[in-house]
Amino acid sequence: DLEGEWSRLVRAVQATKAAIHLRRLRPPTREALRRALSPRVFRQGAFPHILHFAGHASPQGLLLEDERGRADFVPIPQLLDILELQQPLDLVILNACETAAETQAVARALVEHGLARAVVGHPLPVKDEEAVAFARTLLAELTDGYPLERALARANRHLTTHQALLAGEQGMNFLHLLGPGQPVVEDGLPPHNLDRAQTVARVQTGFFGRGRELVRIAEALARTPAVVMISGAPGLGKSRLALEAAYRNAWRFPGGVAWAEAAEGATARGLLEDLAAALDLTYDPRRETALDALLDHAAGHPTLFVLDNLEALVEEERRRLAERFLARLPGESAALLTLRPDLPLKPGWHRLPLTRGLEPGDAFRLALELARHYGLPMEPEQARELVRVTAGHPQLLHQLVARFQERDFHLLLEEIRSRQGDFQAQLEALYQWNAARIAPEGREAWRTLPLWPAPRLPEAVARSLWTPQGLEALRRAAVAAFAPREQVWAWHPTLAEFAARRWSLTEDEARGRLAATLPAWTAWLTRLPPDEAARDAHLAEWQANLRRALEALDAAEPEDAWRFCEALRRALPEPDHTLRLRRFQADFYARWAGLARAAGDEATLALARGMQGYALSALGRVEEALEATREAVDLYRKLASRHPDRFLPDLAMSLNNLGLHLSALGRVEEALEATREAVEIRRKLASRHPDRFLPDLARSLGTYGGVLLLQGHPAEAVDALA
């Protein structure tokens, strides 16, 4: 569990609040190791004090990788040749099996050849979870300033089969190095959003198997531009494989790794906007598109794009994505796709169909890990039997492990065994068995999964939709899993597909269920981070499901609908402050305007139409923006005639926006009239309340001056701008 060990080491370092630099070596190759310990690094003052090795080993050497991710065994003589050091490392931690098994094992060799003052190693094989706990405690003790001998003694408490051994100096202490400062963690990855993908992919265990596939992907990504299509039956682990491949190959793409997921109703344009947002690209949609920005970035900065679940796109959108973006990937950039049907093959594209489950040994380890995750006592022979029945299919294995203690489980195994060779039929039989035995509350909860385009829900929303008994039934049946750190419930898409076939909701039922979640969504919105960028990321992640909630506005209690809309308005950033939320904003303000129109609420209608115009303008849809903004002006003019103190500022703002839209369409005379009126209103307001309205007046004068320039009146424009 390399990721688990790395994350524990990171937390240990960050907890010290000391100036420690923790660096992860990617890729873990001979050449990278030699470069990391080179004379240049020594001269630059960046030579490490500690070298920590996590992975596989034997008494005769260490297992590294080559650039394709293939195993590369490095025997002791070759390891000594790689480590041609300017000075010995203070400490080498060999957190791997049998590295201190013999007098001539790796640990002793490093000390005897003067490459390390001290080396910690294991004389016997070490269990994964124990190795991770051992590493975290050892590093935490050392960074807290305790001597090596004492730190090792405390770390050894996590080992049940042996005690790790220390060769070389015993009383080493790093306290003199731990001055004040901030920890620095360098994980060796370019900018990426793969951590978000971890939750979406419902990652509950480490990664098992698929070594051959990972090598094939690495070979394809080494020859760019490239597109790799991972296809196959549901539940075979396409998304998980793409995520693992992205982590392992990210070092090839200094321009970053951008991941996006297609949900029901997604479009090629929306996916490209998500990719651009993941890379933090900025562009003006009135002059260029996300496609332009992505291709420009990828041309100058090798980038990896990961597009998950592309079967959710309709065929026309898949074709548009392939022809306009994927087929035009420039230079050294590449894409990883997961989908059930392949796209038509083009030069430089690679098919990677998953037709088989995991290899028996990998599936066996996964079964035991899943049993540990669920707290179930599973004997090795039971795990092997499940592997035989499922042929290593990960989703089948997951479901069976979760229910293997049921009284009539043997009947299910016989049913699954009778359908061997047809993964889809096995999944269907398993889900039918689950559906017949899950508690009624769980079945009712399962029935609502198809309501949500993205297969996940925040904890608060899930609890408003499902009873506590229903949630527990879903968890026990492995229909949905809870991620405590993110406070999210997630499920495999095939479970929602099964529910849609078996228990389809009527339109009224669906709208009723969605409407019931609005108060929970409202509470969730009010708890979003205050930082605009963080809020933007959260809202973008959930916008597919928030769109579905919007569909229930007119079916909800009026008070619930209004509160939801107000909370969403406050949470959303300004349309020109975000890229990926603009289309969602335009749709939301249109629905809110419809709600206000039906209620006869002119003030809210004016606000919603004005914001809709703002969002449409940011999308480059200026004609539509003009229509919405003109209605907002008419409404505010009427409202200001009755309540000038309250609505004149809004009228001026809407007039200013109207002038901008008219100017963008070349209707300069009308633009001049609108902006002149906005200036006059704001001049009067600023004369009475300068602290409040002078900035607004300045903005209107700027707009007015710009329109005068377009009309060919530079002298008047200078007066306005001055």
Side-chain angles (χ1 to χ4, degrees):
D1 185 7
L2 295 177
E3 296 305 323
E5 185 159 348
W6 170 253
S7 64
R8 296 283 188 93
L9 296 182
V10 168
R11 289 199 292 273
V13 164
Q14 290 173 337
T16 65
K17 301 292 191 290
I20 297 169
H21 184 185
L22 178 64
R23 178 186 175 199
R24 185 172 182 178
L25 194 64
R26 294 180 190 263
T29 63
R30 301 183 189 213
E31 183 181 350
L33 178 60
R34 183 171 174 79
R35 186 177 295 122
L37 300 172
S38 67
R40 175 182 57 81
V41 172
F42 179 78
R43 177 166 296 198
Q44 291 173 343
F47 194 80
H49 297 278
I50 299 174
L51 173 63
H52 182 104
F53 176 83
H56 294 294
S58 77
Q60 291 76 40
L62 305 179
L63 201 65
L64 301 182
E65 292 181 10
D66 66 12
E67 289 200 348
R68 302 293 193 269
R70 294 173 295 207
D72 179 18
F73 182 70
V74 184
I76 289 174
Q78 295 180 25
L79 185 64
L80 299 178
D81 181 59
I82 291 172
L83 302 178
E84 188 179 337
L85 309 180
Q86 297 293 294
Q87 71 176 35
L89 291 151
D90 288 336
L91 173 63
V92 175
I93 302 169
L94 298 173
N95 200 23
C97 300
E98 301 182 291
T99 46
E102 303 169 1
T103 56
Q104 295 303 312
V106 181
R108 177 58 60 185
L110 293 178
V111 172
E112 289 180 349
H113 286 80
L115 297 173
R117 293 169 55 198
V119 182
V120 171
H122 295 275
L124 296 173
V126 56
K127 297 177 181 178
D128 230 20
E129 63 273 15
E130 293 184 4
V132 172
F134 170 86
R136 183 205 175 281
T137 299
L138 181 60
L139 189 64
E141 290 285 303
L142 290 174
T143 53
D144 282 340
Y146 292 105
L148 175 58
E149 216 172 5
R150 179 172 174 182
L152 179 61
R154 290 189 68 85
N156 269 330
R157 296 178 185 178
H158 295 290
L159 305 178
T160 59
T161 59
H162 64 274
Q163 296 288 279
L165 303 179
L166 172 61
E169 297 182 25
Q170 304 288 304
M172 191 178 298
N173 190 303
F174 293 92
L175 188 58
H176 64 289
L177 299 172
L178 302 175
Q182 290 298 317
V184 175
V185 175
E186 183 183 335
D187 71 358
L189 289 177
H192 67 88
N193 65 334
L194 296 177
D195 293 341
R196 181 64 255 152
Q198 287 271 358
T199 300
V200 173
R202 299 160 294 278
V203 175
Q204 296 174 304
T205 64
F207 185 81
F208 294 87
R210 301 296 188 200
R212 293 184 182 87
E213 289 84 356
L214 286 168
V215 170
R216 286 181 60 188
I217 293 171
E219 289 172 340
L221 296 180
R223 298 188 299 274
T224 52
V227 173
V228 181
M229 296 183 290
I230 304 172
S231 61
L236 273 174
K238 299 183 292 294
S239 299
R240 191 70 180 90
L241 174 60
L243 180 59
E244 185 70 16
Y247 271 115
R248 287 172 176 259
N249 291 277
W251 60 272
R252 302 177 188 275
F253 300 97
V257 181
W259 170 90
E261 176 200 29
E264 177 192 333
T267 63
R269 177 178 174 177
L271 282 177
L272 295 179
E273 289 172 353
D274 289 343
L275 292 176
L279 295 169
D280 202 23
L281 302 183
T282 57
Y283 59 93
D284 185 347
R286 287 165 290 197
R287 296 177 177 84
E288 64 175 332
T289 64
L291 173 64
D292 301 323
L294 288 168
L295 292 177
D296 286 347
H297 176 81
H301 311 278
T303 306
L304 177 63
F305 301 100
V306 186
L307 289 162
D308 192 17
N309 195 38
L310 288 186
E311 66 267 14
L313 295 179
V314 298
E315 185 176 352
E316 175 62 22
E317 291 296 326
R318 283 200 301 272
R319 184 189 61 77
R320 185 175 288 117
L321 183 71
E323 293 180 358
R324 297 186 182 178
F325 177 59
L326 298 172
R328 296 170 58 193
L329 281 179
E332 299 175 40
S333 293
L336 269 175
L337 320 178
T338 73
L339 66 172
R340 293 182 193 171
D342 284 336
L343 293 168
L345 209 58
K346 298 179 185 294
W349 290 31
H350 307 265
R351 281 197 177 106
L352 183 63
L354 295 187
T355 58
R356 301 165 60 88
L358 300 175
E359 293 295 324
D362 300 319
F364 172 73
R365 292 188 298 119
L366 173 59
L368 291 179
E369 177 64 18
L370 286 167
R372 188 187 67 80
H373 172 80
Y374 284 109
L376 300 172
M378 178 176 283
E379 297 297 326
E381 189 48 47
Q382 292 173 310
R384 291 190 185 94
E385 174 64 11
L386 295 186
V387 169
R388 285 192 289 269
V389 169
T390 62
H393 186 288
Q395 175 66 1
L396 281 169
L397 201 56
H398 188 168
Q399 293 284 319
L400 287 174
V401 168
R403 303 303 295 269
F404 94 102
Q405 284 193 314
E406 298 288 334
R407 284 180 298 177
D408 56 350
F409 184 72
H410 65 285
L411 298 176
L412 173 62
L413 276 190
E414 288 303 316
E415 175 71 12
I416 300 297
R417 187 181 286 109
S418 71
R419 298 169 185 256
Q420 280 181 314
D422 185 342
F423 288 143
Q424 184 65 50
Q426 287 181 302
L427 270 178
E428 190 74 16
L430 175 55
Y431 291 165
Q432 286 179 0
W433 186 88
N434 248 351
R437 287 157 182 79
I438 195 170
E441 298 89 350
R443 193 180 309 120
E444 187 58 29
W446 191 349
R447 188 181 178 214
T448 61
L449 296 187
L451 290 175
W452 308 104
R456 54 193 177 275
L457 278 179
E459 161 77 340
V461 179
R463 288 194 172 276
S464 72
L465 188 64
W466 307 324
T467 65
Q469 296 81 4
L471 285 169
E472 179 59 19
L474 290 180
R475 188 194 65 78
R476 286 176 56 84
V479 173
F482 181 63
R485 189 176 71 175
E486 296 86 2
Q487 293 290 293
V488 168
W489 286 88
W491 54 90
H492 197 276
T494 55
L495 288 152
E497 292 167 11
F498 174 83
R501 290 192 305 272
R502 187 179 179 91
W503 307 300
S504 59
L505 295 167
T506 67
E507 186 175 335
D508 286 344
E509 285 177 321
R511 286 158 62 83
R513 299 290 204 291
L514 291 168
T517 66
L518 288 182
W521 280 115
T522 301
W524 179 84
L525 288 165
T526 60
R527 291 194 294 270
L528 288 176
D531 176 69
E532 185 176 84
R535 282 204 320 275
D536 181 74
H538 276 76
L539 289 166
E541 176 194 339
W542 293 100
Q543 67 174 306
N545 288 347
L546 284 167
R547 277 183 181 278
R548 187 55 56 86
L550 285 177
E551 295 173 11
L553 283 179
D554 56 356
E557 292 294 327
E559 190 174 349
D560 291 342
W562 284 105
R563 285 179 177 172
F564 172 78
C565 290
E566 284 289 347
L568 184 53
R569 180 183 71 86
R570 287 192 295 269
L572 284 168
E574 297 293 307
D576 57 1
H577 291 187
T578 181
L579 293 171
R580 48 192 164 176
L581 288 170
R582 288 173 178 174
R583 287 179 300 117
F584 174 74
Q585 287 175 303
D587 294 343
F588 160 59
Y589 289 122
R591 286 186 176 275
W592 194 22
L595 201 66
R597 200 184 303 278
D601 187 333
E602 290 184 330
T604 301
L605 177 58
L607 172 61
R609 286 293 273 167
M611 291 303 298
Q612 185 186 1
Y614 190 177
L616 288 167
S617 174
L619 286 167
R621 294 157 59 181
V622 186
E623 290 278 6
E624 297 170 80
L626 178 63
E627 180 187 348
T629 307
R630 196 183 292 281
E631 183 180 3
V633 167
D634 293 342
L635 287 164
Y636 278 130
R637 199 183 297 282
K638 186 190 302 183
L639 291 164
S641 68
R642 299 196 296 265
H643 307 285
D645 290 344
R646 179 180 173 189
F647 291 110
L648 270 177
D650 297 316
L651 174 59
M653 178 187 65
S654 295
L655 284 164
N656 196 72
N657 291 341
L658 181 64
L660 289 170
H661 302 334
L662 288 164
S663 176
L665 291 169
R667 296 160 64 172
V668 183
E669 288 287 350
E670 296 171 82
L672 192 61
E673 182 182 346
T675 52
R676 184 186 290 120
E677 185 179 358
V679 166
E680 291 171 356
I681 293 172
R682 282 177 163 170
R683 201 186 297 280
K684 291 176 184 176
L685 292 169
S687 68
R688 296 198 298 267
H689 305 286
D691 291 346
R692 181 179 172 191
F693 291 112
L694 271 176
D696 294 336
L697 174 59
R699 280 190 285 273
S700 283
L701 284 167
T703 304
Y704 183 50
V707 176
L708 284 168
L709 278 175
L710 287 174
Q711 201 182 32
H713 299 294
E716 295 176 58
V718 168
D719 288 341
L721 294 171

